[in-house]
Amino acid sequence: MENSKIAALVELGILCRGEPVEVHGDGALDTGPHTISAHNQLCRFENPGFQFPFADSDSPTYTFFPPETTMHQAVEATRLVVLLGAADSPEMRACLKNQQLIVVVFEPDDRALVNFLESVKLAGLNRQNFFCFTGNPYSFNPALQDLLPPDMFRQGTPVFLVTERISRLYGDWAAEVIEYLEVLHYRHAIYGISGQSFARSRPVRNISRGLLHDQQVHAFENIGDYLRFPPIAHLTDRFIGHTAILVAAGPDLSSKFEFIRRNRDRAVIICVNNAVKPLVEAGIHPHFVIINDTSIASGAVFRHIPVLPETILVGHALSDLGGDHFGQKYLFGSFLPELFGAREMIKLHGSVISTAFGLAVHLGCARAVLVGAQLASENPWGLGYAKGTVKEEHGVSEKPLINRHPQLYPVTAPSGKQLYTTINFRDAALWLAEVVRLSGMTCINTSADSILYGQEIVHDPMPVLPEADVATPMEALFEADPPTVERQPVLRYLNHEEQKWVSIRDAARVVLGEEGDMLIAKGMAVLEQLDQNGVTSLVERFDDFRNTLFHEKVFEGSASDRQEGLRYYFKHIFRMSQEFLTLIDKARHACL
């Protein structure tokens, strides 16, 4: 029977319980102390340039907590305190008393938790922003990544306080909890700055942001496809009970070509965009190619493959949709739904392999086989990819490990092999493993040298797949009707966009025609307008524009520097406007 005090915590919504872990020791009351964890923080593998990315703030995106950090120093730097071990320690008492703190407690031993509750009393825990968890961090339902609110991780870098009992008896469990929460902090507080959206925006200023440049390019380029190709709603449950082979571009892809070829008629082959080139060069045409990355670079692979009339592209509406390379396309993600209709999203996060899995779920598949989904490398200094991809290959370096950026983050595979990955891929692997665990779908990873494992992802290098008829349901997917979209509202939208970009181009031309103080006066006035209507955020990703140089010249330099910086900025604005006007003209012709 469950202890009444534990039951009360659950009833109050304070305690969430995962699957029990093996307990050690006598479970007596732990009195601490709690000390700063000496582990190597995950954020040390982040680019240090993103620690202080803002132009007008000294607030860090993440904070380092060396072991000698005092409790006072820690709570000055963050509101988020995680205590490993339900111990009635001075540090625990201080955290509970400080109402400004978000206090999260993890405890592996119910006996120790009961003794803790006897000592501190329930009333001391019934406060705002107090969370308590027991058991295996990878066993909660909903998953821990869904139980903890994202905004919690934006209150500061989590500082971990651990007792000697936990370090001695539950070191591996503590390491799992710490890594899980540090990955969530990366996801919710760091990736938004260090990821694609702001990768070229440092120093970050308070300006209006909408589409990225690459997304705006694709939005204009894809107008014709928006009129011709249906949303993924038409793909729902078309392959109920089938197996999906999800093909990624990891280094061991080439060793699995024969497996994929042998099972092409038994399984739905869903290939991520970066893996399609080596797959096709091996003579294997996938049933689906999927792309969700909206950068221009992500679509470069389509310029290196032949026309694939028997392959369907499933693409995000703001991605490169591959021109005329595919026999059919289905789109996900809405853009201007008032014009083109709403499209549902595929559930995804961090890596396109998650999108491939999301498509398999959407299709109604009963099992998924992962091929080339390694998300890691034996090389500590760069990820490896399958031969034949358009990804840059990193040579293996013999230099010593430094356990911080630019070295990759170390992860031990279930096979015991030491691998290295980016923080983004570690996050993607955690997210997808948890989604798979709760999906009910059988999932097999054919690569032992992968970090994509969990309770419901098993390893089998050559699984035997059941006989199935994939060809018949595939044939029907090439016959879908185009969406119903009125052309005149789309043409009015394009006319409006044309007028806007003509106006912006002409304003840039006027500023570039000025000299001296007049250039500064007019340039700064127009810059302020473009900051507030999303144009500046577009140019940050345009061509070779360097935001650091622009900011240094315009906001930190002399009057002559400011003139130089404004000329630099408006030359790029002028060229970008011309690019968009050319794309708008092509989009208009696609509507006729």
Side-chain angles (χ1 to χ4, degrees):
M1 179 179 293
E2 187 169 62
N3 178 272
S4 61
K5 289 184 170 57
I6 289 180
L9 279 186
V10 173
E11 183 69 22
L12 289 169
I14 293 173
L15 174 63
C16 293
R17 292 169 65 69
E19 294 177 1
V21 299
E22 183 180 356
V23 296
H24 306 282
D26 60 9
L29 176 65
D30 190 344
T31 57
H34 280 96
T35 58
I36 302 289
S37 172
H39 75 283
N40 194 31
Q41 288 175 264
L42 179 141
C43 59
R44 291 191 180 275
F45 295 88
E46 180 56 90
N47 185 333
F50 291 108
Q51 187 175 13
F52 293 94
F54 302 103
D56 56 354
S57 174
D58 293 330
S59 299
T61 307
Y62 53 89
T63 303
F64 298 131
F65 296 108
E68 63 272 17
T69 304
T70 66
M71 184 71 183
H72 176 75
Q73 291 170 331
V75 299
E76 283 287 310
T78 183
R79 290 184 58 210
L80 180 54
V81 181
V82 182
L83 298 107
L84 301 180
D88 189 5
S89 67
E91 295 76 24
M92 174 72 80
R93 293 274 182 170
C95 289
L96 293 174
K97 185 177 180 180
N98 187 340
Q99 296 295 319
Q100 298 302 310
L101 298 181
I102 301 169
V103 180
V104 185
V105 175
F106 281 82
E107 174 55 58
D109 187 343
D110 279 3
R111 299 170 302 169
L113 178 59
V114 169
N115 285 320
F116 168 74
L117 296 177
E118 293 281 359
S119 184
V120 301
K121 309 304 180 189
L122 285 178
L125 304 179
N126 194 12
R127 68 190 289 278
Q128 286 189 329
N129 296 320
F130 177 76
F131 306 89
C132 187
F133 298 88
T134 63
N136 179 353
Y138 288 91
S139 66
F140 291 93
N141 187 5
L144 191 58
Q145 64 184 3
D146 299 315
L147 289 171
L148 293 172
D151 191 57
M152 184 177 89
F153 294 96
R154 302 184 186 111
Q155 307 308 308
T157 305
V159 59
F160 294 90
L161 305 178
V162 59
T163 68
E164 187 275 336
R165 171 181 63 93
I166 295 296
S167 297
R168 176 169 46 85
L169 300 178
Y170 299 98
D172 291 344
W173 171 86
E176 286 189 340
V177 172
I178 289 171
E179 183 189 45
Y180 199 128
L181 268 64
E182 288 194 324
V183 167
L184 294 185
H185 175 253
Y186 165 80
R187 182 185 303 173
H188 298 305
I190 300 177
Y191 178 72
I193 296 296
S194 68
Q196 189 178 122
S197 296
F198 285 85
R200 291 173 56 181
S201 298
R202 288 178 293 154
V204 177
R205 296 188 297 125
N206 184 23
I207 61 176
S208 176
R209 299 185 182 275
L211 295 183
L212 303 177
H213 166 265
D214 299 23
Q215 294 171 334
Q216 185 63 75
V217 167
H218 292 145
F220 290 142
E221 287 182 339
N222 295 344
I223 292 291
D225 285 349
Y226 298 161
L227 302 176
R228 293 174 57 196
F229 296 114
I232 60 166
H234 293 259
L235 299 177
T236 305
D237 291 339
R238 291 299 190 101
F239 291 88
I240 291 178
H242 282 72
T243 298
I245 297 178
L246 312 182
V247 182
D252 72 351
L253 172 58
S254 59
S255 68
K256 305 298 181 184
F257 284 154
E258 186 53 39
F259 167 78
I260 300 171
R261 186 180 291 111
R262 187 169 64 247
N263 288 287
R264 190 182 184 279
D265 295 331
R266 294 188 181 95
V268 184
I269 312 299
I270 302 174
C271 179
V272 308
N273 58 298
N274 194 43
V276 64
K277 180 174 175 286
L279 199 65
V280 169
E281 289 173 350
I284 305 168
H285 290 193
H287 299 105
F288 294 93
V289 170
I290 190 156
I291 182 169
N292 71 265
D293 191 324
T294 59
S295 68
I296 290 173
S298 69
V301 63
F302 298 142
R303 296 191 288 274
H304 299 275
I305 61 172
V307 173
L308 302 173
E310 298 179 355
T311 297
I312 294 172
L313 178 80
V314 176
H316 189 284
L318 296 176
S319 293
D320 187 321
L321 297 179
D324 296 325
H325 281 87
F326 301 97
Q328 176 64 292
K329 303 177 189 179
Y330 287 86
L331 309 184
F332 63 93
S334 290
F335 172 69
L336 297 180
E338 65 274 20
L339 294 180
F340 303 109
R343 305 184 197 93
E344 63 184 288
M345 271 295 291
I346 292 176
K347 189 175 182 180
L348 59 92
H349 178 76
S351 167
V352 68
I353 193 62
S354 73
T355 320
F357 181 82
L359 177 58
V361 172
H362 187 80
L363 293 171
C365 296
R367 63 195 66 82
V369 179
L370 304 172
V371 174
Q374 291 162 272
L375 301 181
S377 168
E378 295 181 49
N379 178 8
W381 306 100
L383 292 173
Y385 292 92
K387 184 178 180 180
T389 69
V390 296
K391 288 284 190 178
E392 178 184 357
E393 189 65 33
H394 296 272
V396 177
S397 174
E398 298 299 327
K399 58 186 176 182
L401 301 180
I402 58 175
N403 293 314
R404 56 178 169 79
H405 182 86
Q407 181 198 308
L408 297 180
Y409 178 67
V411 182
T412 303
S415 65
K417 180 173 285 189
Q418 183 64 65
L419 300 175
Y420 300 86
T421 189
T422 62
I423 309 178
N424 181 51
F425 273 1
R426 180 65 193 96
D427 177 27
L430 185 154
W431 183 90
L432 185 52
E434 289 286 66
V435 169
V436 169
R437 176 173 66 85
L438 298 175
S439 70
M441 183 184 290
T442 301
C443 194
I444 300 167
N445 193 336
T446 60
S447 175
D449 298 339
S450 171
I451 63 170
L452 187 46
Y453 279 97
Q455 291 184 20
E456 301 300 327
I457 305 176
V458 299
H459 174 241
D460 187 341
M462 289 288 172
V464 177
L465 304 186
E467 295 290 337
D469 174 21
V470 174
T472 301
M474 275 298 297
E475 289 175 5
L477 299 182
F478 289 87
E479 301 171 358
D481 293 329
T484 302
V485 178
E486 294 291 333
R487 304 296 177 101
Q488 287 306 311
V490 176
L491 287 169
R492 286 196 294 271
Y493 158 73
L494 291 172
N495 289 338
H496 177 269
E497 287 293 299
E498 181 179 55
Q499 293 170 13
K500 180 179 81 173
W501 288 106
V502 165
S503 175
I504 292 169
R505 180 198 62 188
D506 291 348
R509 180 188 285 121
V510 169
V511 172
L512 290 170
E514 301 292 349
E515 300 285 346
D517 291 344
M518 190 58 70
L519 167 63
I520 293 175
K522 286 189 176 181
M524 294 303 292
V526 177
L527 171 61
E528 183 177 3
Q529 295 179 44
L530 300 186
D531 279 353
Q532 298 309 312
N533 65 10
V535 174
T536 297
S537 71
L538 284 168
V539 83
E540 288 177 347
R541 285 284 294 266
F542 173 67
D543 198 21
D544 60 350
F545 185 81
R546 292 171 54 204
N547 197 54
T548 51
L549 174 64
F550 158 71
H551 190 275
E552 177 184 320
K553 294 290 186 181
V554 172
F555 298 104
E556 299 174 0
S558 63
S560 61
D561 287 334
R562 178 167 287 191
Q563 292 179 54
E564 182 183 347
L566 288 169
R567 286 192 179 280
Y568 177 79
Y569 172 83
F570 282 104
K571 283 179 180 178
H572 282 83
I573 292 291
F574 184 88
R575 289 170 47 218
M576 184 176 72
S577 301
Q578 291 285 72
E579 175 193 48
F580 288 160
L581 288 168
T582 299
L583 294 173
I584 290 167
D585 188 57
K586 291 180 180 179
R588 185 182 290 111
H589 281 87
C591 291
L592 302 177

